[in-house]
Amino acid sequence: SSNGTTLQTASLRLGGPVVKLPGGDLTATALLERRREASDETVNSSSFGGAATYFWTPTAVQNVDSAYLELRAPIVGASNDVPFIRELELMGSVRHDRYDTRYSGSSIPVGSATGPFPDEAATTKKLSSTNYTLGFKYAPSQDIAFRASWGNGFLPPKLANLRADTPAVFSDFLIFLLNLRDPARGNALIPGPLTILAGGNPDLRPEKSNSFSAGVVLTPRFVSGLRISVDLTSIRKSDEVLNLPIFFYLANEGSFPGRIIRGA
């Protein structure tokens, strides 16, 4: 069985000068975009090393509508002959994104050799965000320039972060190869078969971020072709999405009640 993801994008971009400013042309860039990402849905099974593996990929669809506008305004240019201001440019942008994500849910058919598996409920999630970036560039002379920017960001969960992954059953042989040990049994190898349900979480919140960047660019005239730049960038993210390995759950079972179910 084969499965995959289909991505379709339609976009319209416009850009160019708008009005004349003292330092040059005010330029604008605008973008309208529609993206659609959809995963296939397949249920099949195979085995490897004595382990039965179910290829289970429930359908997930994400539609994204985006609008973007950026303005660059040269306030002062070299031709203006302003003391201590060879160049001063301001920049600003705004972007709005609207996300519509639909997850079909899924159910492994009753009668599977190692089932039954719990059903995944269908979910629909609608999110939107408006984000900004502000920046400037200031050059007191031809030899040095300063630049800085601030912005915020928004990143919704990907389809792979929302839908369930491939349920699998590991045999004693694979458990030995992966060295999967249970701290609750004196760190002994986990007795097979080991059934693993993994994958996404349809209730994930989007990632958010704030960023700040500042730097200096040196282009000394007495050294032809030399350019030196130093930048400091700080990014703070919240609600970051991570994929945790099996070992993490085994070592922190008390923080995830109900995730690990043992036999007799």
Side-chain angles (χ1 to χ4, degrees), residues 225-237:
L226 178 63
R227 182 182 187 274
I228 301 174
S229 65
V230 178
D231 290 278
L232 170 68
T233 300
S234 174
I235 302 175
R236 180 176 178 83
K237 299 177 69 175

Side-chain angles (χ1 to χ4, degrees), residues 68-72 89-95 131-137 147-153 210-214:
Y68 174 79
L69 176 64
E70 178 184 294
L71 298 176
R72 289 186 174 271
E89 182 182 77
L90 304 180
M91 184 273 287
S93 67
V94 58
R95 181 184 182 99
N131 301 102
Y132 306 90
T133 300
L134 300 173
F136 77 89
K137 179 181 179 182
R147 59 191 179 189
S149 65
W150 173 89
N152 58 6
N210 289 297
S211 63
F212 173 77
S213 178

Side-chain angles (χ1 to χ4, degrees), residues 118-140:
D119 292 344
E120 287 262 336
T123 61
T124 298
K125 180 171 291 189
K126 297 180 183 291
L127 301 169
S128 64
S129 178
T130 302
N131 301 102
Y132 306 90
T133 300
L134 300 173
F136 77 89
K137 179 181 179 182
Y138 163 62

Side-chain angles (χ1 to χ4, degrees), residues 86-104:
R86 177 179 174 82
E87 182 182 357
L88 177 61
E89 182 182 77
L90 304 180
M91 184 273 287
S93 67
V94 58
R95 181 184 182 99
H96 180 78
D97 297 284
R98 187 172 61 210
Y99 295 82
D100 183 351
T101 304
R102 302 176 186 273
Y103 174 64
S104 68

Side-chain angles (χ1 to χ4, degrees), residues 11-239:
S11 61
L12 173 65
R13 185 188 299 269
L14 300 173
V18 180
V19 297
K20 190 74 174 179
L21 296 178
D25 291 327
L26 170 70
T27 59
T29 301
L31 171 71
L32 294 175
E33 187 175 75
R34 170 72 181 231
R35 302 194 306 275
R36 176 182 172 85
E37 184 177 1
S39 67
D40 302 334
E41 180 171 32
T42 59
V43 177
N44 205 341
S45 65
S46 64
S47 63
F48 173 75
T53 301
Y54 290 86
F55 294 93
W56 179 31
T57 311
T59 299
V61 177
Q62 186 176 79
N63 295 313
V64 185
D65 295 311
S66 303
Y68 174 79
L69 176 64
E70 178 184 294
L71 298 176
R72 289 186 174 271
I75 306 301
V76 178
S79 60
N80 298 128
D81 198 24
V82 177
F84 307 109
I85 306 180
R86 177 179 174 82
E87 182 182 357
L88 177 61
E89 182 182 77
L90 304 180
M91 184 273 287
S93 67
V94 58
R95 181 184 182 99
H96 180 78
D97 297 284
R98 187 172 61 210
Y99 295 82
D100 183 351
T101 304
R102 302 176 186 273
Y103 174 64
S104 68
S106 188
S107 175
I108 292 292
V110 176
S112 299
T114 54
F117 295 103
D119 292 344
E120 287 262 336
T123 61
T124 298
K125 180 171 291 189
K126 297 180 183 291
L127 301 169
S128 64
S129 178
T130 302
N131 301 102
Y132 306 90
T133 300
L134 300 173
F136 77 89
K137 179 181 179 182
Y138 163 62
S141 69
Q142 181 180 339
D143 305 293
I144 187 170
F146 302 92
R147 59 191 179 189
S149 65
W150 173 89
N152 58 6
F154 171 94
L155 181 65
K158 299 177 182 178
L159 295 185
N161 299 135
L162 296 174
R163 70 189 186 195
D165 205 348
T166 304
V169 178
F170 287 5
S171 66
D172 289 325
F173 176 68
L174 278 181
I175 293 171
F176 172 77
L177 288 180
L178 297 175
N179 195 30
L180 296 177
R181 297 181 178 272
D182 187 356
R185 289 190 170 99
N187 213 35
L189 284 171
I190 297 174
L194 170 65
T195 302
I196 297 177
L197 300 179
N201 176 6
D203 296 323
L204 283 175
R205 294 192 297 256
E207 296 183 7
K208 296 181 180 180
S209 66
N210 289 297
S211 63
F212 173 77
S213 178
V216 59
V217 181
L218 301 175
T219 52
R221 282 169 286 183
F222 58 85
V223 183
S224 177
L226 178 63
R227 182 182 187 274
I228 301 174
S229 65
V230 178
D231 290 278
L232 170 68
T233 300
S234 174
I235 302 175
R236 180 176 178 83
K237 299 177 69 175
S238 59
D239 295 324

